[in-house]
Amino acid sequence: MFPSPRPTTGGGWTAGLRPARPAPAARIVVFPHAGGDAPRYLTPLSRLPGDVELLGITLPGHAERAAEPPAARVADVVRGVRGALRGLPSVPTVFYGHSLGALLAVAVADAAETGAVVVSCGLPGERAYPHPERLHTAAGLDEIFALHGLPPGALHDTALGPRARTLAHDLALSRQALRAVRDVCLAVPLTALAGTNDPLVPAATLPGWAAFTRAAHRGRLVEGGHFFPFSPTGADVLLEELTAALSAAGHDAGAGVTAPRTAVRG
């Protein structure tokens, strides 16, 4: 059993997923996928060392912020998250983002001079989109909705349930984020992971992440689909890469990590 997430802090942008014991020696900040919430990531991250604090990002319209209007601008998310993180004790920090979260993690980390970033199943900017000329049209947004099982015009479809409406708004934010990160070049190490059978983010786009940092870059292809981090073998790979990223950020993670069980390609 995992402890319930602590109440949101920093204006609601952050929530404690797992406290560090005896005190935080490092921190992983989790940016969840579209339609998802950070507590889901407790399972794949559960075997990280106990002195690593796990912090989740909560977007407006999600979880404890369900009554708030959904985030409509990437700039507002970046400003809010950076402001919330500024008030935390300084420890080695890794940003981890999945899918939409990958784009938001990179956008927030753009001004960082220390730490590291790990992304999984994220499209490396609008240049990697199959039809970039259509991406920012109404038809382009409907294409994104269709890929996720939503009807055309989902943003304004009053027949959709709450979860589907949240997903629609997150996908609209994701489309904007593809453009927002276009010129990002991080000063910190970046590790990008992709699934071999991901129908949403083709494995062939993985090399595109190399352009997003002037520090060390690593790309790794992992057996599985878009949600491979939530499979046992995928979680092993994620654990290994996050542990390496923590070390690059300045944390000695030698003890307390269960060895991974799987092989990968790439």
Side-chain angles (χ1 to χ4, degrees):
M1 294 292 290
F2 295 104
S4 298
R6 299 198 305 276
T8 54
T9 58
W13 289 102
T14 61
L17 301 179
R18 189 192 73 178
R21 294 187 176 88
R27 177 180 301 117
I28 291 179
V29 182
V30 178
F31 294 75
H33 56 276
D37 294 311
R40 183 179 177 187
Y41 292 79
L42 277 169
T43 297
L45 302 184
S46 63
R47 289 179 290 130
L48 285 162
D51 63 354
V52 176
E53 177 186 42
L54 300 182
L55 196 67
I57 298 303
T58 304
L59 294 178
H62 287 253
E64 294 86 357
R65 306 183 72 183
E68 299 180 37
R73 293 178 0 112
V74 173
D76 293 337
V77 174
V78 170
R79 187 181 306 109
V81 173
R82 285 180 181 169
L85 297 179
R86 262 195 297 272
L88 300 176
S90 179
V91 295
T93 297
V94 171
F95 288 174
Y96 167 58
H98 182 79
S99 196
L100 164 62
L103 299 169
L104 297 180
V106 166
V108 172
D110 190 22
E113 297 181 356
T114 60
V117 177
V118 176
V119 299
S120 57
C121 300
L123 197 65
E126 65 178 0
R127 296 184 185 93
Y129 190 74
H131 306 288
E133 72 281 359
R134 293 209 306 264
L135 180 59
H136 297 283
T137 67
L141 185 56
D142 284 343
E143 286 178 0
I144 294 173
F145 288 156
L147 286 171
H148 293 80
L150 294 177
L155 277 181
H156 309 290
D157 190 337
T158 57
L160 293 180
R163 292 183 64 180
R165 287 199 301 271
T166 297
L167 175 59
H169 283 284
D170 283 358
L171 292 175
L173 185 68
S174 179
R175 178 180 70 161
Q176 185 188 135
L178 287 168
R179 173 165 289 179
V181 302
R182 178 175 51 188
D183 298 320
V184 166
C185 190
L186 303 175
V188 300
L190 171 66
T191 298
L193 310 176
T196 56
N197 301 304
D198 187 342
L200 300 177
V201 181
T205 65
L206 180 62
W209 282 108
F212 284 78
T213 183
R214 58 183 180 273
H217 166 262
R218 173 172 167 76
R220 189 167 180 178
L221 200 57
V222 186
E223 296 288 348
H226 191 66
F227 289 104
F228 78 77
F230 299 99
S231 71
T233 54
D236 284 342
V237 175
L238 180 59
L239 175 69
E240 181 181 333
E241 295 297 345
L242 286 173
T243 300
L246 284 165
S247 179
H251 174 252
D252 180 5
V257 181
T258 304
R261 300 180 292 263
T262 190
V264 299
R265 291 164 43 188

